[in-house]
Amino acid sequence: MTLLLVVFFSRVPAAITMPEVNTDHLDEQQVQLLAEMCILIDENDNKIGADTKKNCHLNENIDKGLLHRAFSVFLFNTENKLLLQQRSNAKITFPDCFTNTCCSHPLSYPLELEENNAIGVRRAAQRRLKAELGIPMEQVTPEEISYLTRIHYKAKSDGIWGEHEIDYILFVQKDVTLNPDPNEIQSYCYVTQKELKQLLDKASKNEVKITPWFKLIAETFLFKWWDNLPNLNKFVDHEKIHRM
């Protein structure tokens, strides 16, 4: 592990060597969240350290190999409709984009670092479902969140900010109470498969914006999983990381 750290950080200079990025023009609440400590990983999802959300999302660091752990939640109601959100225009990466139910990061502290059956990631998902969508913690417990597989992707939001993540794909099917934080979410809706395909078609014509990870997942795996909500076990793959 020591050797791995030396090799990794020789590719990724310490954050103090990076030019300072001015965040004065950004939303104050979102800037405060940039201090959160994300989990640094290698390309096989092994923990190798921690760094701020800010440093993890600067393209200059991403281009030098900085990679962090993340998750994407897909929550369906009992009518088999998928809950989508539109990210607020206060978001630093991919503002105004439509995306899946909840997308965020486990943080580098003990409860969310625990890896057995991705329990730390599932705890983080419960936390963020409450923070973003106002879903009471007791309505979606970590045990009710199914971990399917992981994807590895990279995407630029603009010239400064971007994403480089190994993303845990999490599914939930339950009717929940919603009270979204407007600083996180500007709109939300439940959609059928047909309605989502219409949204994806609009996005292909640049009539609406969707997040790159949601586009990748929707175009590769989502509808197959959606067709098999009662039988997701056959799609569980905790060994492979899908490189996208």
Side-chain angles (χ1 to χ4, degrees):
M1 181 60 75
T2 301
L3 177 61
L4 179 61
L5 280 166
V6 170
V7 171
F8 185 81
F9 284 109
S10 67
R11 286 194 296 119
V12 184
I16 57 172
T17 68
M18 293 297 170
E20 184 57 35
V21 174
N22 190 321
T23 58
D24 291 346
H25 62 292
L26 300 174
D27 178 83
E28 182 179 354
Q29 184 173 326
Q30 293 295 323
V31 168
Q32 289 175 354
L33 294 174
L34 290 176
E36 292 181 336
M37 296 300 290
C38 292
I39 301 167
L40 296 183
I41 51 177
D42 65 17
E43 292 200 348
N44 292 314
D45 195 27
N46 298 305
K47 294 178 294 190
I48 58 171
D51 208 336
T52 62
K53 181 179 175 183
K54 177 181 178 181
N55 286 334
C56 288
H57 290 81
L58 288 171
N59 288 328
E60 186 164 0
N61 293 345
I62 290 169
D63 290 342
K64 294 173 181 175
L66 204 65
L67 175 65
H68 63 279
R69 188 173 288 165
F71 62 82
S72 287
V73 178
F74 293 77
L75 185 148
F76 299 81
N77 64 15
T78 53
E79 296 178 345
N80 289 347
K81 292 182 178 180
L82 172 62
L83 179 60
L84 301 185
Q85 62 156 284
Q86 184 183 16
R87 293 161 68 87
S88 81
N89 58 16
K91 298 291 281 186
I92 294 169
T93 57
F94 303 101
D96 301 313
C97 290
F98 286 91
T99 195
N100 51 286
T101 310
C102 180
C103 323
S104 192
H105 320 92
L107 300 180
S108 186
Y109 72 93
L111 280 177
E112 295 185 10
L113 281 165
E114 192 175 337
E115 293 186 341
N116 184 35
N117 198 23
I119 185 60
V121 174
R122 290 184 286 126
R123 288 172 181 148
Q126 179 194 37
R127 171 176 57 81
R128 288 303 298 175
L129 286 168
K130 173 68 167 67
E132 294 184 22
L133 290 150
I135 299 173
M137 299 279 277
E138 65 274 11
Q139 284 194 9
V140 178
T141 65
E143 293 72 25
E144 294 174 299
I145 299 172
S146 298
Y147 160 42
L148 265 65
T149 190
R150 292 168 289 178
I151 69 167
H152 177 187
Y153 78 95
K154 182 191 295 186
K156 288 187 176 182
S157 178
D158 57 25
I160 297 173
W161 305 98
E163 295 282 4
H164 187 207
E165 303 178 330
I166 289 181
D167 194 15
Y168 284 64
I169 308 303
L170 307 176
F171 268 50
V172 185
Q173 185 165 25
K174 196 171 187 185
D175 293 329
V176 295
T177 304
L178 300 172
N179 183 25
D181 178 354
N183 189 260
E184 294 284 341
I185 296 172
Q186 63 175 290
S187 67
Y188 65 93
C189 59
Y190 283 95
V191 295
T192 62
Q193 289 197 27
K194 180 179 178 180
E195 289 165 339
L196 178 54
K197 288 174 181 176
Q198 291 171 342
L199 180 70
L200 294 171
D201 183 58
K202 287 183 178 180
S204 71
K205 299 173 184 174
N206 295 317
E207 295 174 9
V208 298
K209 296 188 294 182
I210 60 174
T211 60
W213 62 88
F214 183 45
K215 182 175 187 290
L216 287 169
I217 295 166
E219 289 178 347
T220 52
F221 301 117
L222 179 57
F223 292 101
K224 174 175 59 179
W225 293 333
W226 199 336
D227 284 335
N228 290 273
L229 287 178
N231 303 293
L232 286 173
N233 284 343
K234 62 183 178 182
F235 298 106
V236 169
D237 185 352
H238 294 174
E239 300 301 318
K240 184 173 183 179
I241 299 172
H242 301 273
R243 313 291 178 179
M244 307 175 80

